[in-house]
């Protein structure tokens, strides 16, 4: 089955700096890669996603890049703000692979003033 | 439109007790999922369902049971609670995919924090 590894497990940045979180996946059939943000005491919420026919996608301060050959994808947050502090999860999905998302272990991002 | 709702928010169980975690969605989604989240770990899939009357095991199904009698509801049952089942449980749902866009967004509930002592 699919295996998703996520790094780093914790990340601390100064407000205004950029943050990068990286994930690798094992199943070359995976073709959909969402990123979720989980605030304290809440369920994960989708913030951005990318499909395998696209190399990069951007939404305001958030961008995701995908390298299918190397089987890794990354989340980039620019101009970080305190409200970006949360746990971020990457995930991978293989359509036809049992309709299941496989999640990474999460990154605790802390944006310091 | 409430999305995915879960009850209860918190629960403390004694070893050997049983309980049902409730999950309801009002988006008419076919697919529903139960995950557990342990500290410092990602989300592990317990069970999932692709429609009413159809359920299947995920990565960590032992000690749990599910049923799906309606599209809206997907309860998770713990029969003999064990300390290893102390966790935060999330229910999620998604639509089959929006036409050619292949959008598979999963919507999560707020979670149930369960402690077994």
């Amino acid at each position: 089955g699919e295996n998703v590894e996520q790094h780093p497990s914790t990340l601390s940045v100064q407000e205004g700096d950029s943050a990068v979180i990286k994930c690798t996946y094992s199943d070359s059939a995976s073709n959909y890669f969402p990123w979720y943000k989980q605030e304290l005491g809440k369920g994960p919420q989708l913030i951005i996603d990318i499909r395998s026919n696209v190399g990069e996608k951007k939404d305001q301060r958030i961008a995701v890049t995908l390298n299918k050959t190397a089987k890794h994808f990354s989340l980039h947050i620019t101009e970080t703000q305190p409200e970006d502090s949360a746990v971020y999860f990457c995930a991978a999905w293989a359509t036809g692979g049992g309709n299941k998302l496989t999640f990474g272990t999460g990154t605790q991002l802390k944006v310091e003033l | 439109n409430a999305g995915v709702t879960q009850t209860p928010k918190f629960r403390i169980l004694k070893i050997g007790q049983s309980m049902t975690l409730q999950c309801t969605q009002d988006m008419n989604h076919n697919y529903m999922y139960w995950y557990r989240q342990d500290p410092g770990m990602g989300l592990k899939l317990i069970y999932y369902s692709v429609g009413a009357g159809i359920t299947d095991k995920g990565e960590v199904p032992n000690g749990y049971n599910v049923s799906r009698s309606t599209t809206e509801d997907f309860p998770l049952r713990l029969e003999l609670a064990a300390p290893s089942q102390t966790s935060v449980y999330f229910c999620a749902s998604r639509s089959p995919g929006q036409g050619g866009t292949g959008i598979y967004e999963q919507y999560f509930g707020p979670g149930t924090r369960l402690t077994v002592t």
Side-chain angles (χ1 to χ4, degrees), chain B residues 81-100:
Chain B
S84 61
Q85 293 177 304
T86 294
S87 190
V88 181
Y89 292 84
F90 290 101
C91 179
S93 73
R94 73 166 180 93
S95 62
Q98 298 177 17

Side-chain angles (χ1 to χ4, degrees), chain A residues 32 36 38 41-44 46 51 89 93 95 98-101 103-105, chain B residues 31 33 35 37 41-43 45 48 50 90 94 101 104-106 108-110:
Chain A
Y32 173 69
Y36 285 82
Q38 185 179 25
K42 297 184 178 180
L46 181 72
R51 284 182 284 147
F89 291 96
W93 183 297
T95 53
N99 301 294
K100 301 188 291 287
L101 274 173
F103 286 85
T105 50
Chain B
Y31 297 84
Y33 304 83
Y35 295 89
Q37 184 179 34
M41 304 293 287
L43 293 152
L45 183 64
Y48 68 102
V50 301
F90 290 101
R94 73 166 180 93
T101 65
Y104 305 104
E105 180 172 359
Q106 273 190 197
F108 284 83

Side-chain angles (χ1 to χ4, degrees), chain B residues 27-111:
Chain B
M27 297 173 282
N28 201 33
H29 287 168
N30 292 333
Y31 297 84
M32 295 188 75
Y33 304 83
W34 273 106
Y35 295 89
R36 60 177 286 172
Q37 184 179 34
D38 300 319
M41 304 293 287
L43 293 152
K44 298 292 187 184
L45 183 64
I46 305 171
Y47 270 96
Y48 68 102
S49 169
V50 301
I54 305 169
T55 63
D56 207 348
K57 296 177 180 179
E59 298 175 75
V60 289
N62 291 344
Y64 307 95
N65 276 301
V66 293
S67 60
R68 185 92 182 274
S69 57
T70 67
T71 298
E72 296 78 20
D73 301 306
F74 190 40
L76 178 72
R77 179 85 178 159
L78 283 71
E79 291 293 350
L80 290 169
S84 61
Q85 293 177 304
T86 294
S87 190
V88 181
Y89 292 84
F90 290 101
C91 179
S93 73
R94 73 166 180 93
S95 62
Q98 298 177 17
T101 65
I103 295 175
Y104 305 104
E105 180 172 359
Q106 273 190 197
Y107 295 84
F108 284 83

